[in-house]
Amino acid sequence: MTARFKGTAEYVATDDLTIAVNAAVTLERPLLVKGEPGTGKTELAKQVAGALGLRMIEWNVKSTTRAQQGLYEYDAVSRLRDSQLGDERVHDVSNYIRKGKLWQAFDADEKVVLLIDEIDKADIEFPNDLLQELDKMEFHVYETGETIRAKHRPIVIITSNNEKELPDAFLRRCFFHYIRFPDEATMRRIVEVHHPGIKEALLTTALTQFYEIRETQGLKKKPSTSEVLDWLKLLLAEDLDAEDLKRDGVNALPKLHGALLKNEQDVHLFERLAFMARAKR
């Protein structure tokens, strides 16, 4: 029986997230994880692998990635070149087959975690092109005539930033979980993992400002969990305390705001808020 995931010392997993991971493992279905960038979707796969003592194979999807690349690629150009050079390797077509991440996962001698990261970056047909392979855990290699079947069904974790809708047929085959943005109590637990022993006054003031920034109307990009952790790291490195973080209408931008605000539109938004606050005085 496969061990159950309960979170790790380095990763704060909420109850609903651990339930989702274990349900996907039990059902032997891919776990589709959505959520804001920076909420720990990719890290989840690494922590599941670590907690269950499994090796992880990571497939980072890009806009140019094709589903076939996850299975294998046939290097016909190299074979043609070698044939012109009289290389004996040309007589065995398998010399020109490059295994993709799915093949590596299917071919593993032990159970592995397969991460398909940011699937929504690829073409809309990409998920559909993987339906049969993820469902049946096998695929055919046309050049060699062989069928590759998974020796051990991998735990498949698929992440999406919701940049585009995924096909219904693909969604039906997945167990779905949306990682909600952490509330303050959960965020405190996350911070304690990364910055143990941080002063209570500093943490309270910093998190109050952080959530106020996230709730500011008109913000183009809300700061994420990873960004608040970076911000706190900077505050600690600069030896700032709660008093140093105090803002007023004249100084609407938070200290070291470059860790939280990642585009000029949002910086200008806070500058305008400060200007309007001064005008009311």
Side-chain angles (χ1 to χ4, degrees):
M1 183 177 179
T2 304
R4 294 179 66 79
F5 177 68
K6 300 178 182 177
T8 69
E10 297 84 29
Y11 188 90
V12 176
T14 56
D15 290 343
D16 58 342
L17 178 55
T18 58
I19 289 170
V21 171
N22 291 315
V25 172
T26 300
L27 293 172
E28 295 188 327
R29 288 186 178 274
L31 173 63
L32 174 61
V33 186
K34 291 187 178 183
E36 288 183 33
T39 48
K41 300 184 296 298
T42 302
E43 186 62 25
L44 171 65
K46 297 175 182 176
Q47 295 297 328
V48 168
L52 302 183
L54 305 177
R55 180 165 64 93
M56 189 180 88
I57 295 174
E58 186 171 355
W59 185 11
N60 296 300
V61 177
K62 302 177 182 178
S63 59
T64 55
T65 303
R66 295 175 294 107
Q68 180 64 33
Q69 292 171 309
L71 308 180
Y72 69 92
E73 291 184 277
Y74 170 52
D75 191 351
V77 174
S78 292
R79 193 181 188 196
L80 175 61
R81 185 191 63 232
D82 287 350
S83 68
Q84 293 170 338
L85 296 172
D87 195 320
E88 289 297 317
R89 296 173 74 249
V90 298
H91 300 299
D92 185 355
V93 68
S94 64
N95 289 324
Y96 303 93
I97 301 290
R98 189 161 56 244
K99 296 180 180 180
K101 299 296 184 179
L102 262 73
W103 189 333
Q104 293 173 31
F106 288 3
D107 208 32
D109 291 326
E110 75 287 352
K111 195 177 191 70
V112 299
V113 172
L114 172 63
L115 168 64
I116 304 177
D117 202 23
E118 299 189 328
I119 195 171
D120 52 323
K121 279 188 175 180
D123 182 86
I124 189 62
E125 290 304 318
F126 180 92
N128 279 336
D129 291 342
L130 290 176
L131 285 180
Q132 182 170 319
E133 289 76 12
L134 291 176
D135 208 21
K136 294 186 176 181
M137 287 286 148
E138 66 178 43
F139 63 89
H140 187 69
V141 183
Y142 297 99
E143 290 77 6
T144 63
E146 61 184 322
T147 297
I148 305 301
R149 295 184 178 87
K151 295 178 182 177
H152 303 275
R153 193 178 189 99
I155 296 172
V156 181
I157 297 179
I158 303 169
T159 73
S160 169
N161 286 328
N162 254 347
E163 291 183 10
K164 60 170 71 87
E165 287 296 317
L166 299 174
D168 287 345
F170 180 79
L171 295 175
R172 281 197 299 273
R173 287 165 169 81
C174 298
F175 191 92
F176 173 75
H177 182 75
Y178 184 85
I179 297 183
R180 293 190 299 272
F181 195 82
D183 57 23
E184 187 170 337
T186 304
M187 187 64 81
R188 284 175 173 272
R189 290 169 57 203
I190 294 171
V191 171
E192 181 60 29
V193 168
H194 294 270
H195 304 299
I198 189 170
K199 291 179 181 177
E200 174 62 29
L202 174 62
L203 179 59
T204 298
T205 303
L207 289 184
T208 299
Q209 286 191 17
F210 171 71
Y211 282 102
E212 285 175 354
I213 291 169
R214 278 186 55 86
E215 292 164 12
T216 301
Q217 293 295 317
L219 202 64
K220 184 177 181 181
K221 183 192 179 303
K222 294 181 178 182
S224 67
T225 305
S226 60
E227 286 156 347
V228 74
L229 292 173
D230 285 346
W231 186 46
L232 288 167
K233 184 176 181 179
L234 287 173
L235 297 180
L236 291 169
E238 294 293 326
D239 200 24
L240 301 180
D241 58 25
E243 194 67 26
D244 295 319
L245 296 188
K246 284 191 175 177
R247 297 183 297 169
D248 53 34
V250 180
N251 225 346
L253 282 168
K255 286 280 194 304
L256 300 166
H257 63 269
L260 298 174
L261 305 176
K262 296 304 177 75
N263 61 70
E264 64 278 8
Q265 178 179 315
D266 290 341
V267 173
H268 291 159
L269 171 63
F270 280 88
E271 289 173 342
R272 286 198 302 274
L273 292 173
F275 176 79
M276 290 187 289
R278 289 196 298 270
K280 290 178 181 178
R281 291 189 171 186

